[in-house]
Amino acid sequence: MTDFVGHLMPGVILFFCGLYYALLTSLAILREQRLLILPLPPRDKRPQGWLQQLPIQGLLKILVCIPGILGAFFYPVGTNRLAIIDWEDPERRFLHQNTWQHVTIYSFLFLSGMVDIVSRSWLARQQMKLEQAALALAFQGSALIFISHTEGKSALEVHCHNLLVIPVMLTALVLTIELWFPDQPELWVFKTWMFLLFGSWCAQVGSILFYPITGHPWKADKPEEIMYLTTFFCWHLILDALVIAGIYGLCSLWIHRYSPQQVAKSGRYQLCPTDPMTEELKKLMKDGTI
């Protein structure tokens, strides 16, 4: 995350993750589900095909983390940041602090992906609370990393990353609360909002630090520019909320007009007509049904 791509790629991935949660949340609320993600049946009652048993979410987490970890250590090509201590220095100074913080964040997410795979593929019953706890731990650890991630950075970077800490900490808090209250739609919506904010602002930070929209570097010694950082962050809050509202509106339109459940409603029992002049009642009386 030491360059534009390092901020853009995690931001885009997190934003699409937020879009995925926005879709799940909208459908769960409209369908009046008790849980955001319904649990899998016992392992012996699941489809036998290997493709149906693939834990997609866990695999995606791992596939995202592997290039992230390798890139942190070896990108650009030819670099090597594996060393933690400079043994040639008499003071034994620590090296590559930012790299190891990034790798630690990816490692938390990697662990969460492994827990998803074990829970959904190897255990007889899916352990949803264990999966939730692993994801909550990933964001709790990331929040701690981000708090100290501003050490030795410029005032501009400090302000950008301090704002980034807000969605990370709030997401960690919501995920922790969901361990005991997983059936609260308000928490689903807020979690989705913070995922979108985390992703969009992370990508925005990369633009601010490396490709400013004005073509000139931001200057931390100008109060008006620091003030606009907070203003832009608030705009992200508003726009991400509008994204959730838009996805909910589209899902509502689909549910009420095109969902197969609407076809099933026509097959439900209906009240028998009681007006003696109706053709249906006359037909029933003629046939001796009533």
Side-chain angles (χ1 to χ4, degrees):
M1 298 183 184
T2 56
D3 57 6
F4 175 69
V5 176
H7 287 83
L8 177 64
M9 293 307 298
V12 171
I13 292 171
L14 286 166
F15 188 81
F16 275 99
C17 183
L19 293 178
Y20 171 70
Y21 272 114
L23 180 62
L24 287 182
T25 299
S26 300
L27 293 176
I29 293 175
L30 291 168
R31 292 170 177 170
E32 299 181 353
Q33 293 178 191
R34 185 173 177 272
L35 298 174
L36 177 61
I37 300 177
L38 299 178
L40 296 174
R43 186 178 179 184
D44 55 353
K45 296 182 180 179
R46 299 175 195 172
Q48 296 302 316
W50 66 272
L51 188 61
Q52 288 84 356
Q53 296 186 12
L54 281 178
I56 302 298
Q57 292 185 3
L59 289 175
L60 287 177
K61 291 176 183 178
I62 292 176
L63 291 176
V64 167
C65 291
I66 291 176
I69 292 174
L70 293 177
F73 281 134
F74 305 112
Y75 180 83
V77 179
T79 59
N80 187 341
R81 304 186 187 93
L82 283 172
I84 298 180
I85 300 174
D86 185 0
W87 295 104
E88 297 180 358
D89 187 343
E91 296 184 4
R92 301 292 192 267
R93 297 180 184 274
F94 285 100
L95 301 173
H96 312 305
Q97 298 90 337
N98 288 332
T99 296
W100 280 99
Q101 284 197 327
H102 298 157
V103 170
T104 302
I105 293 174
Y106 283 120
S107 299
F108 275 120
L109 188 60
F110 186 91
L111 176 63
S112 175
M114 291 298 298
V115 170
D116 289 349
I117 292 176
V118 171
S119 173
R120 302 185 187 194
S121 299
W122 293 351
L123 300 182
R125 287 184 176 275
Q126 180 187 9
Q127 301 296 320
M128 296 190 67
K129 283 191 176 295
L130 181 61
E131 297 176 21
Q132 181 74 15
L135 185 59
L137 175 64
F139 275 86
Q140 291 165 1
S142 299
L144 292 175
I145 292 293
F146 272 106
I147 290 174
S148 64
H149 198 59
T150 57
E151 296 295 332
K153 290 183 170 57
S154 66
L156 177 65
E157 291 180 278
V158 169
H159 194 69
C160 289
H161 285 86
N162 283 342
L163 293 173
L164 194 59
V165 169
I166 295 174
V168 179
M169 295 190 67
L170 291 177
T171 303
L173 177 62
V174 171
L175 290 171
T176 303
I177 296 174
E178 280 189 321
L179 285 170
W180 290 274
F181 304 99
D183 55 349
Q184 299 298 315
E186 297 84 357
L187 295 178
W188 307 345
V189 174
F190 191 77
K191 176 177 65 178
T192 301
W193 192 18
M194 291 300 103
F195 263 103
L196 290 171
L197 180 62
F198 189 9
S200 63
W201 184 247
C202 186
Q204 181 72 68
V205 169
S207 173
I208 292 172
L209 297 179
F210 302 100
Y211 290 99
I213 191 173
T214 61
H216 298 279
W218 286 65
K219 296 181 179 179
D221 57 346
K222 291 188 176 181
E224 63 273 16
E225 296 196 4
I226 297 298
M227 291 173 64
Y228 262 110
L229 283 180
T230 307
T231 302
F232 290 165
F233 182 80
C234 293
W235 290 357
H236 279 263
L237 279 168
I238 297 171
L239 292 175
D240 291 334
L242 292 176
V243 168
I244 297 174
I247 292 177
Y248 180 85
L250 292 175
C251 290
S252 178
L253 180 65
W254 182 80
I255 286 288
H256 290 95
R257 294 196 178 186
Y258 306 108
S259 175
Q261 294 179 356
Q262 298 301 317
V263 179
K265 287 183 179 180
S266 61
R268 294 179 180 176
Y269 289 107
Q270 300 180 3
L271 293 176
C272 180
T274 55
D275 186 353
M277 300 305 295
T278 59
E279 294 294 332
E280 293 85 351
L281 187 58
K282 289 180 180 180
K283 185 177 179 180
L284 292 173
M285 295 176 66
K286 184 178 179 179
D287 294 340
T289 306
I290 58 174

